[in-house]
Amino acid sequence: MALYLRRAIKLTNTIRTTTIILRSSNTQTRNISHFLLSHNQLTPRSQNLTPFCSFDFLRDSRRGFAKGKKSKDDSGGSTMELAPDIGPSVKASAASQMDAAIVALSRELAKLRTGRASAGMLDHIIVETDGVKVQLNHLAVVSVIDSKTLSVNPYDPNTLKALESAIISSPLGLNPKVDGQRLIAPIPPLTKEHMQAMCKVVAKSSEDVKQSIRRARQKALDTIKKAGSSFPKDEAKRFEKEIDELTKKFVKSADELCKAKEKEITQG
């Protein structure tokens, strides 16, 4: 009997403890439910605010990037990219090519023998010494004694024979003589046939250099045309006029050089 009583008392205490725990759990559950309800009431506002705030941020950023694509000047108008002014450099290049053509013409004309002695008429002759080919003006100083005689003074006397042989072998028709440590080269008078042949060579050289000058002109104009719309039409017309004037200037120089050479040939 005592055993049953003890069990009954123990069961009663267990029931009381369970009841207390359940009451406490219910209270916490109500508190949690109340908290969740309050949170749900507040959550829609925050959920509504957060997406719109993010969207506004992205939208503002996108607008910022979009505006960055097209730059504007201080007046609010769109800026226009301007191509660099290539006119001066193209003109300078054309002038350099034309000048080079004139220099080449001068060298070619200097090679032609006339009836008058000229210090530069031997410059183009190639002399071979010690197995090396060198231009004559690098080995000797050529000077004019009179209108019909040249003097060739070598830097090294040992090259005297090589210089003599080179001058005789050249197409100038000269026959130099050894005079101590120098060479004396008489300039024989030109025949009529030789004069005519030399004048034809001058005319051919004149035409060649003029073609070179015109090619330089055309190249400059083509460069401007390739620039297209980036080169204003008014500037293109002005540039073409300047190039034409430059072309006429160099063509005139070529004519003057050739006429002077023809006069030198014919008058001996």
Side-chain angles (χ1 to χ4, degrees):
M1 186 69 180
L3 178 62
Y4 286 114
L5 286 174
R6 285 195 299 271
R7 290 180 178 178
I9 291 171
K10 186 177 181 179
L11 179 61
T12 300
N13 292 334
T14 301
I15 292 172
R16 286 179 180 176
T17 302
T18 303
T19 302
I20 291 172
I21 292 173
L22 289 174
R23 286 178 180 176
S24 177
S25 176
N26 289 336
T27 301
Q28 291 178 358
T29 302
R30 284 196 299 271
N31 291 336
I32 293 172
S33 299
H34 178 71
F35 172 78
L36 292 175
L37 179 61
S38 300
H39 181 70
N40 289 337
Q41 289 176 352
L42 293 173
T43 301
R45 295 181 180 179
S46 61
Q47 289 177 346
N48 290 337
L49 288 173
T50 302
F52 282 112
C53 290
S54 300
F55 176 76
D56 290 341
F57 172 77
L58 293 175
R59 181 177 59 188
D60 293 341
S61 298
R62 183 177 62 188
R63 287 179 178 176
F65 285 121
K67 290 179 181 179
K69 293 179 181 179
K70 187 177 183 180
S71 60
K72 294 183 179 181
D73 56 14
D74 296 338
S75 62
S78 299
T79 59
M80 179 171 51
E81 294 183 0
L82 296 176
D85 188 5
I86 62 174
S89 61
V90 174
K91 182 180 178 180
S93 177
S96 177
Q97 294 174 26
M98 294 178 184
D99 185 65
I102 294 297
V103 171
L105 174 64
S106 299
R107 291 176 179 173
E108 290 299 318
L109 295 180
K111 296 178 183 179
L112 301 178
R113 185 176 74 84
T114 64
R116 184 180 296 273
S118 171
M121 65 188 302
L122 304 181
D123 289 349
H124 67 283
I125 296 177
I126 301 300
V127 182
E128 184 173 355
T129 175
D130 295 332
V132 180
K133 294 183 178 180
V134 187
Q135 285 188 341
L136 185 144
N137 59 351
H138 292 164
L139 297 175
V141 175
V142 180
S143 58
V144 177
I145 296 177
D146 54 49
S147 62
K148 299 293 183 179
T149 311
L150 287 176
S151 173
V152 181
N153 297 273
Y155 298 120
D156 182 1
N158 295 326
T159 62
L160 192 63
K161 289 295 183 181
L163 289 168
E164 180 184 10
S165 177
I167 294 173
I168 293 174
S169 301
S170 71
L172 296 178
L174 302 181
N175 189 21
K177 302 294 183 182
V178 177
D179 181 23
Q181 293 185 344
R182 68 173 184 173
L183 295 174
I184 299 299
I187 307 299
L190 293 176
T191 63
K192 185 176 181 180
E193 291 77 12
H194 197 120
M195 290 181 183
Q196 292 176 349
M198 290 297 100
C199 288
K200 288 181 180 180
V201 172
V202 171
K204 180 65 169 55
S205 299
S206 176
E207 186 58 32
D208 289 344
V209 74
K210 287 178 183 178
Q211 288 181 3
S212 297
I213 293 172
R214 294 188 185 104
R215 281 195 297 268
R217 170 189 177 275
Q218 190 59 48
K219 183 178 179 180
L221 297 181
D222 290 343
T223 301
I224 295 302
K225 288 181 180 179
K226 288 179 181 179
S229 59
S230 61
F231 204 85
K233 291 183 178 180
D234 293 341
E235 291 293 326
K237 290 181 180 179
R238 181 182 62 81
F239 177 80
E240 184 175 356
K241 183 178 179 180
E242 292 178 356
I243 292 296
D244 285 341
E245 292 176 353
L246 194 65
T247 302
K248 292 177 182 178
K249 172 185 174 182
F250 280 98
V251 167
K252 183 179 179 181
S253 296
D255 285 335
E256 290 176 350
L257 284 174
C258 292
K259 288 179 179 179
K261 192 64 179 182
E262 289 179 350
K263 183 178 180 180
E264 182 181 351
I265 292 172
T266 55
Q267 292 184 357

